[in-house]
Amino acid sequence: MKHFFLLLVLISGLSVTAQADINNLFAAGVDDAERFTNDYMAPLSEGMIYSISNGWYNSGETKPLGGFEISIIGNMASFKNKENKKSFDLNTAEYENIQFVDGSISKAVSSGLGDLEGIRVFVEGEVAPGVSSREEFELPTGLSSENINFVPSAFLQVSVGLIKGIELKARFLPKIDTDEVAVGFYGVGLQHELTSLLPAEKIWPVAVSGVIGYTHLNGTYDFTDTEIIAGENQKIDTKINSWNFQAVVSTKLPIINFYGGLGYITGNSKTDVLGTYIVQSGPFQQTIEDPFTLTKKVSGATANIGTKLKLGFFRLHADYTIAQFNSLSVGINFGFR
């Protein structure tokens, strides 16, 4: 369960680094550690933004005044065939201290989504006049090495019909707080059915609407007690914000319906690596306070298609989204009207 939440708050990738090699990365110096970790984490951040941004609608038809729907929704942003997201080129000319053991100047290494293993690097420096120290270590691999090929999210969503053609939506994951992990998120959205403004709208075979949704996720991972590296108050704090703008069209049938949408997603993430870190090995031993902050901005077009089955009070829906990270969204819904 803990590892699911680490993944959910986008820190599983960095926790892999921490549990295996964070001491070694800091031994290369703060600048090198920051550059590597930023490239390593970027695809994870992007995948999480796309994952939490989906699932805002399952119809182009909005609910009437007082109508409501309660949904449990799960999203999976897949990177199974995204080879360009699973690795990045590490060019030692861009680093101050990291060098490849095999003498390469540049080569592909695993991102937080990847599975490249066994790539060894070293740092070397003078610790006293005429005395040098060399530290050799293996770079971390990513989620694919654990046969994980998607970035998940799950939440509760409530939709309520307001005045004619307008539906208010809210989504949230109640905050879960353990000794090491705390995570929760919320969002708010609005859907406006444009066909409700047309004369004799009830006889139209389709519904067309616009949807705007905002989602915020906040998660922390405290690894002070893992004894990976000396120090205190060591934690990762991640905040993600995303906006989803969609044009939606759907059929208006009594039992089974089909819907699709075209839109645009934009979002950003900010990950603070906080606490005191005491590097006790290698040529660059030092004490580091709140080492660095990682940021990632994402934007791109999306298109999806889905279906919804209505069986009285109970409904099921599923849809597939094509984007930078293709996503599957499924939901169980309970509602009136």
Side-chain angles (χ1 to χ4, degrees):
M1 183 65 72
K2 181 188 78 171
H3 295 295
F4 171 78
F5 291 124
L6 295 187
L7 180 64
L8 183 63
V9 298
L10 240 206
I11 55 182
S12 58
L14 192 50
S15 71
V16 169
T17 307
Q19 295 176 23
D21 293 307
I22 197 169
N23 192 14
N24 295 322
L25 288 170
F26 280 123
V30 176
D31 290 342
D32 280 6
E34 180 178 1
R35 177 180 291 275
F36 177 88
T37 307
N38 189 65
D39 289 342
Y40 180 87
M41 286 287 291
L44 267 169
S45 301
E46 187 175 2
M48 196 63 212
I49 289 170
Y50 276 99
S51 182
I52 68 172
S53 297
N54 291 323
W56 276 111
Y57 56 87
N58 52 46
S59 175
E61 192 174 11
T62 56
K63 295 167 184 57
L65 179 64
F68 69 90
E69 185 172 77
I70 300 173
S71 306
I72 301 172
I73 299 173
N75 292 328
M76 294 189 300
S78 173
F79 55 86
K80 185 175 182 179
N81 298 316
K82 296 287 186 179
E83 298 303 322
N84 62 324
K85 303 294 184 181
K86 294 183 180 180
S87 66
F88 64 94
D89 289 330
L90 192 160
N91 187 339
T92 56
E94 298 175 349
Y95 287 75
E96 296 179 2
N97 303 305
I98 291 179
Q99 301 293 323
F100 288 109
V101 169
D102 65 5
S104 300
I105 300 299
S106 177
K107 67 166 57 179
V109 301
S110 180
S111 75
L113 303 180
D115 57 4
L116 297 178
E117 299 178 328
I119 300 176
R120 299 190 64 80
V121 298
F122 71 91
V123 296
E124 189 171 25
E126 191 174 68
V127 295
V131 180
S132 63
S133 174
R134 173 174 166 137
E135 187 81 7
E136 185 176 317
F137 55 92
E138 186 173 312
L139 293 177
T141 185
L143 295 176
S144 292
S145 66
E146 302 295 329
N147 295 317
I148 299 173
N149 292 298
F150 59 90
V151 181
S153 64
F155 47 86
L156 183 70
Q157 185 162 295
V158 179
S159 302
V160 179
L162 300 180
I163 60 176
K164 185 176 177 62
I166 296 179
E167 181 176 308
L168 179 66
K169 304 171 183 288
R171 55 171 51 177
F172 64 96
L173 175 70
K175 187 175 183 181
I176 299 170
D177 199 343
T178 69
D179 290 340
E180 297 176 349
V181 177
V183 60
F185 77 83
Y186 62 85
V188 62
L190 199 65
Q191 181 168 354
H192 186 204
E193 184 184 343
L194 303 178
T195 44
S196 70
L197 304 177
L198 300 177
E201 55 92 11
K202 292 185 180 297
I203 67 172
W204 283 75
V206 298
V208 178
S209 64
V211 177
I212 299 176
Y214 166 77
T215 306
H216 172 82
L217 180 148
N218 187 47
T220 61
Y221 172 44
D222 188 327
F223 57 95
T224 302
D225 295 334
T226 58
E227 299 180 355
I228 297 166
I229 183 172
E232 58 185 11
N233 300 321
Q234 298 167 347
K235 67 178 182 179
I236 299 166
D237 188 310
T238 296
K239 295 180 175 64
I240 300 176
N241 297 287
S242 77
W243 286 92
N244 191 347
F245 306 90
Q246 296 283 327
V248 186
V249 61
S250 75
T251 57
K252 297 170 61 176
L253 302 174
I255 297 177
I256 187 168
N257 282 280
F258 301 92
Y259 61 92
L262 295 174
Y264 187 79
I265 287 176
T266 182
N268 63 79
S269 68
K270 178 183 178 184
T271 301
D272 295 313
V273 181
L274 305 172
T276 302
Y277 302 79
I278 305 173
V279 182
Q280 298 175 312
S281 63
F284 308 109
Q285 299 181 26
Q286 58 185 311
T287 297
I288 306 166
E289 298 283 349
D290 297 340
F292 47 79
T293 295
L294 309 175
T295 60
K296 177 67 176 178
K297 293 184 178 181
V298 170
S299 62
T302 69
N304 80 329
I305 187 169
T307 185
K308 181 178 182 179
L309 177 65
K310 298 170 64 176
L311 299 172
F313 187 73
F314 178 73
R315 300 97 184 266
L316 293 171
H317 80 267
D319 62 65
Y320 188 76
T321 299
I322 299 174
Q324 283 293 321
F325 282 75
N326 296 341
S327 302
L328 175 67
S329 179
V330 295
I332 300 173
N333 317 289
F334 306 90
F336 175 72
R337 299 292 299 273

